Amino acid sequence: MASGDRRGPYICGIDAAMDVVSGKWKSLILWELDNYGTRRFGELKRGLPGVSEKMLVQHLREMEQDGLVHREVYREVPPKVEYSLTEHGRSLNEALGPLGEWGQRRAERLAAEAPTGSP
Amino acid sequence: MASGDRRGPYICGIDAAMDVVSGKWKSLILWELDNYGTRRFGELKRGLPGVSEKMLVQHLREMEQDGLVHREVYREVPPKVEYSLTEHGRSLNEALGPLGEWGQRRAERLAAEAPTGSP
DNA sequence: TTCGATACTGACCTGAAGGTAAGTATTGAG
DNA sequence: CTCAATACTTACCTTCAGGTCAGTATCGAA
């Protein structure tokens, strides 16, 4: 399954962190929630162009289980659910900072090397 | 294919970095090479218990293409090939540091929460 | 009575990541 | 002549992350 048994015995810290971040949209979700503080399901969906509802729900559930995300349900009609980061989620986002900067530099380097696809 | 077109248009830095690190053994390869400086193919294989030769070759090729790894071939018999990190590879490993520490802390927390599986 | 809004859930399918295992090339040792 | 050692290569197969799409529950508005 896609979100079954995890928290396996880890070989190293990277492994343990990757277990939690791997997932097509997870780092983006992390960034959205860190940036906006609190987001409703529909807002997240609109903020992540291309994400399917299924994956968004699945990722959010896993991140909740992993203690990264807090889920607040308002018993209203139509339904309202708000997501936000926990302390762990925020610290993970911080830990991802240097990696993001490295990737940024790499992207810039690639753009400089092949501006139009080398015609 | 497993290593075909990459370097796609990235949504953010994390995306660009993940494109390069995602792969079951890549962070481990990074660590091995950073730790030992230079490793032969067979040494890497023995240092990463469970890796298949196919995946090791494939990952090393991709990392070479991505400018993370340098490959030095000695024209001898039997063959000898030495792998080492480039400057980019080393900086990536550094950027992964905080993430590794976060994962380490997470692993410790998990171990403290469920020592024997909550019997 | 039907529709729209919201936050899901479930069945089904595809592609790609990764595993297994056998084959290749070269040459010195026995 | 055969074998061992090294660094691969190739073919085939399984698994699973992720996509599509349809359905559900609830209530107010029209």
Side-chain angles (χ1 to χ4, degrees):
Chain A
M1 58 206 70
S3 59
D5 49 329
R6 287 135 47 76
R7 302 141 194 276
Y10 299 123
I11 335 182
C12 64
I14 297 286
D15 190 21
M18 283 300 185
D19 184 25
V20 145
V21 195
S22 71
K24 193 166 176 182
W25 308 92
K26 288 195 179 172
S27 55
L28 277 306
I29 294 174
L30 230 39
W31 188 87
E32 276 271 317
L33 292 182
D34 198 59
N35 195 35
Y36 290 96
T38 290
R39 292 294 258 175
R40 295 184 58 176
F41 182 83
E43 291 174 332
L44 278 173
K45 190 185 152 191
R46 274 173 247 120
L48 306 177
V51 72
S52 66
E53 296 192 346
K54 178 199 161 195
M55 283 318 296
L56 186 51
V57 176
Q58 194 177 111
H59 280 168
L60 286 169
R61 290 283 183 284
E62 291 180 16
M63 295 171 78
E64 195 190 353
Q65 277 210 338
D66 288 334
L68 306 177
V69 160
H70 172 71
R71 181 165 176 264
E72 187 77 33
V73 182
Y74 297 83
R75 297 197 38 68
E76 307 174 358
V77 168
K80 177 181 172 184
V81 179
E82 281 185 350
Y83 294 93
S84 54
L85 287 190
T86 63
E87 187 53 42
H88 290 314
R90 258 172 267 128
S91 65
L92 174 56
N93 210 42
E94 269 182 47
L96 281 171
L99 190 63
E101 288 163 24
W102 187 94
Q104 195 69 37
R105 268 177 274 128
R106 168 180 145 88
E108 285 160 11
R109 185 157 39 88
L110 287 179
E113 279 171 4
T116 20
S118 60
Chain B
M1 58 205 68
S3 59
D5 50 330
R6 289 137 44 80
R7 301 142 195 275
Y10 300 124
I11 335 182
C12 65
I14 297 286
D15 191 20
M18 283 300 185
D19 183 25
V20 146
V21 194
S22 70
K24 193 167 176 183
W25 307 93
K26 287 196 179 171
S27 55
L28 277 307
I29 292 174
L30 230 40
W31 188 88
E32 276 270 319
L33 291 182
D34 198 60
N35 195 35
Y36 289 96
T38 290
R39 292 293 257 176
R40 295 184 57 176
F41 182 83
E43 291 174 332
L44 278 173
K45 191 184 151 190
R46 274 173 247 118
L48 307 177
V51 73
S52 67
E53 295 192 348
K54 178 198 161 193
M55 283 318 296
L56 186 51
V57 175
Q58 194 176 111
H59 280 167
L60 285 169
R61 289 285 184 282
E62 291 180 17
M63 295 170 79
E64 195 191 353
Q65 276 211 340
D66 289 334
L68 307 176
V69 159
H70 173 70
R71 181 165 174 264
E72 187 78 31
V73 181
Y74 297 84
R75 296 197 40 67
E76 307 173 357
V77 169
K80 177 181 173 185
V81 179
E82 281 185 350
Y83 293 92
S84 55
L85 287 190
T86 64
E87 188 51 45
H88 290 314
R90 258 171 269 128
S91 65
L92 174 56
N93 209 42
E94 268 182 47
L96 281 171
L99 191 63
E101 288 162 24
W102 188 93
Q104 195 69 37
R105 266 176 276 128
R106 170 181 143 87
E108 285 160 10
R109 185 157 40 87
L110 288 179
E113 279 172 2
T116 20
S118 61

